């Protein structure tokens, strides 16, 4: 079992709809959770971080965390064509380094 | 506040050659990470520095790979005797102690022919 799992997609959503991206992780000791957006050929860009159970909203983005279920999600409201990208879920591995363990990414396409 | 920078952005080399990449972190960040990303996969951790000390290395980092951060500022990643399997995007990220957030540079894309 991979440490961080995401649906690889592709996920196709019409413009203006809600895009829902999911991620599960295996390390119960993980404390910090991140969503990065990556455009083709570019590096990951941090869009959301979440540390406690519940929802965290930032503009059109909402991150949800459920530590009991080891589940993280990202909702994108009013999806725009510019949201088309690969979304990477990342989890800290614990220990001093706090290195990030990434899922394989979900490719999202917003259709105009 | 400038972001993380990496140089070069692209490198094409022949198998067996040595290559070196540079990363300049955000100026006040004392933590620096190297990751490698291949097509269709998420980034994989390679190594981590806190200030000038290299505190963790992944098993992915074979003996052909070496990283330094001599004065706790910029870092270099060297790959000796490159192999075609080394072709990937090499990403550098920086952060600060006490916060888990990491910010990535633009990456160096390595192609080994």
């Amino acid at each position: 079992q991979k440490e961080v799992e995401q649906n690889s997609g592709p996920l196709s959503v019409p413009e203006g709809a809600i895009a829902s991206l999911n991620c599960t992780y295996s390390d119960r000791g993980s404390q910090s959770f991140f969503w990065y957006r990556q455009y083709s050929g570019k590096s990951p860009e941090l869009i959301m971080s979440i540390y406690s159970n519940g929802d965290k909203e930032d503009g059109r983005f909402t991150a949800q965390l459920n530590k009991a279920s080891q589940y993280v999600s990202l909702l994108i409201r009013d999806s725009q064509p510019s949201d088309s990208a690969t979304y990477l879920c990342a989890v800290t591995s614990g220990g001093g380094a706090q290195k990030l363990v990434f899922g394989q990414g979900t490719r999202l396409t917003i259709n105009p | 506040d400038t972001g993380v920078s990496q140089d070069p952005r692209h490198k094409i080399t022949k198998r067996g050659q040595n290559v070196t990449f540079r990363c300049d972190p955000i100026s006040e960040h004392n933590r620096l990470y190297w990751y490698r990303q291949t097509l269709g996969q998420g980034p994989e951790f390679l190594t981590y520095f806190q200030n000038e000390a290299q505190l963790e290395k992944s098993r992915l980092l074979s003996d052909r790979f070496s990283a330094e951060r001599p004065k706790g500022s910029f870092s270099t990643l060297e790959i000796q005797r490159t192999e075609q399997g080394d072709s990937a995007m090499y990403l550098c990220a920086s952060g600060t102690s006490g916060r888990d957030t990491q910010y990535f540079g633009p990456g160096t894309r390595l192609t080994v022919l």
Side-chain angles (χ1 to χ4, degrees), chain B residues 59-108:
Chain B
R59 288 172 296 169
L60 292 175
L61 217 63
S62 76
D63 291 344
R64 298 185 296 105
F65 288 71
S66 62
E68 295 183 339
R69 194 182 183 196
K71 296 184 179 179
S73 55
F74 73 91
S75 175
T76 58
L77 177 68
E78 181 183 16
I79 309 174
Q80 295 182 328
R81 305 181 303 282
T82 52
E83 302 173 355
Q84 289 185 325
D86 297 331
S87 295
M89 174 82 89
Y90 289 83
L91 294 162
C92 175
S94 71
T96 57
S97 302
R99 292 183 63 85
D100 297 337
T101 308
Q102 296 180 27
Y103 299 92
F104 283 84
T108 294

Side-chain angles (χ1 to χ4, degrees), chain A residues 24-69:
Chain A
T24 58
Y25 61 94
S26 60
D27 184 358
R28 285 192 173 274
S30 298
Q31 296 293 319
S32 305
F33 308 85
F34 304 91
W35 284 98
Y36 286 83
R37 177 176 63 198
Q38 187 171 30
Y39 293 114
S40 180
K42 304 296 185 182
S43 64
E45 173 192 9
L46 179 68
I47 53 172
M48 288 289 288
S49 60
I50 187 166
Y51 304 97
S52 55
N53 284 327
D55 295 359
K56 179 182 177 183
E57 186 174 321
D58 184 0
R60 297 186 296 110
F61 299 96
T62 299
Q64 298 174 318
L65 174 61
N66 184 326
K67 290 186 178 181
S69 300

